[in-house]
Amino acid sequence: MKRVFIFGFLLLSIFAWSQTQIILWHSYRGDEKAALKEVVEAFNASHTDIQIKALGIPYDAFADKITAAIPRGKGPDIFIYAHDRIGGWAEAGIIDPISFFLEENTEEQFVEGSWEPMIYDGEVYGLPMSLKSIILFYNPNIIKTPPKTTDEMIAMAKAHTNAETGEYGLVYEIANFYYHACWLQGFGGRVFDDNNQPVLNSPENIRSFQFARDLYAKEKIVPPEVSNVLVTTLFNEGKAGMVISGPWFRGEINDVPYEIALLPEISEVGKPAIPFMSTEGVMMSAKSKNKDAAYVAMEFLVQEKAATIMALKGKQPVALKKVYDNPAVKNDKYLPKFRAQIAKSRPMPSIPQMTSVWSPASTAIAAAVNGNKTPEEALNEAQRKVVDALSKAGYKK
C-alpha cells in the first residue's frame, strides 16, 4: 500500500513538473472577471500540458506595472489590454509580435475594425478579444426617454439632480481624459495632427474642456470627485439618472433597471459625440520563456468557446464573428447598440507618442473641470509637457 502511494505521488509530481504555467494578467471586474475565470477553468480542464494562472491587476496601475515588470523579466506571459499602448510597448521591446504564429485566415475570423488596431509597423501584436467604447446608460424609472442632444441631456440631468440628497442626473468620470474624448472629438478636436504631432491646445479641444467645465460648475449636474466606484454606487442606489460608461459597466449593475442609448449629438456644433474605440486584445510578453505555450493560451482566449462565454456571461461586444450567429448572443438586447456606438467611435491612437499623452491630458481636464486653470491654460500646459516628453524621447517634427 505504501509503495502504491509513493508511486502515485511520484506520478503526480512528474505530471506537475511537466506542465507549463502561463501567467495571465487582466484588469476585469464584476461579470467580466467571472467570465474570464470560467474561460481559464475551461482551458485548464482541456489541457494537461499547459495551465493558465490568471491574476487581476487594478486598471489604474495596469499599464505602469506592465511597463515596469516585463523589462525586468517579471510579470505575465500574456495580458489583456486595450490597443493604444501597442506602439510604445512594441518600440520598448515589452511585447512580441505574433505574426509568426498566425494562420492565413486568422484575420478573417474577427469583426471589421478589430484587427487593424492590433498591428504596428507591419507586425501583429495581439489577438482581438472585444471592441469597446463608452455609451449612455440610463435608469428608465428616472429617465423615460434618452436624450438625443446635449441640450436635452443637460435639461434632463438638471431635473433629476439634488446635491443635498446625493442624487445626480449625469454621472461619469468627468476628469478622466478617456471619457472626455467623446466631447473633444465631437467638437472636432484631435490629439495628433496628420503628421502625428500633438495638437492638444487646439481651439476645438479648448471648447470641449469648457463644455466639461460647464457641466460641473455651471449646470452642476455631475458630482465632484467622480471615481468609477462612485459611478457604480450611485447608479446601483438609484441616485444616478444617466451614466456614461462602457460595456464593462453592465457587469457592475445590481438589481437596478437600465437601458442604453447612443451618446447624444453636441448641440453647439450639431455633431455626435465621438468616443474612443479600443480593441481589447491579448498580447504576449517579450520576456515570456514559454512563447509557444503562451500563444496556445492566447488563441484559446479568442476562439468560439471562450468568446461565447465572454459575450454571454461577461457581457462583452466580442471580436469573434462566429459568436454573433449564436441565438443567445444575437438576441441580446444590448449588444447591437454597443456595436452601433462602436461604429460611431474613433480608434484610440496606438502610435508610441500616445503613451506620453495620457497623464498630461488627464491632469489638464481635471484642472479645467475643477477650475484650478482655465481650459486654455490647462491645455497649453499639457501641450508643453507632451512636446517636451516627445522631444526627450527622440521624436522630432
Side-chain angles (χ1 to χ4, degrees), residues 26-29 32-33 36 80 129 132 280 310 316:
H26 66 91
S27 60
Y28 289 155
R29 307 188 305 260
E32 287 187 313
K33 182 179 179 179
L36 182 64
I80 300 168
M129 290 183 67
K132 293 183 175 180
E280 190 172 67
M310 295 309 297
Q316 288 187 348

Side-chain angles (χ1 to χ4, degrees), residues 96-112:
D96 254 7
I98 57 170
S99 306
F100 169 80
F101 295 100
L102 302 177
E103 303 289 339
E104 286 187 11
N105 67 337
T106 302
E107 178 181 352
E108 300 168 9
Q109 300 174 32
F110 300 97
V111 299
E112 183 179 357

Side-chain angles (χ1 to χ4, degrees), residues 67 71 86-95:
T67 302
I86 283 179
W89 281 337
E91 292 283 353
I94 288 171
I95 53 177

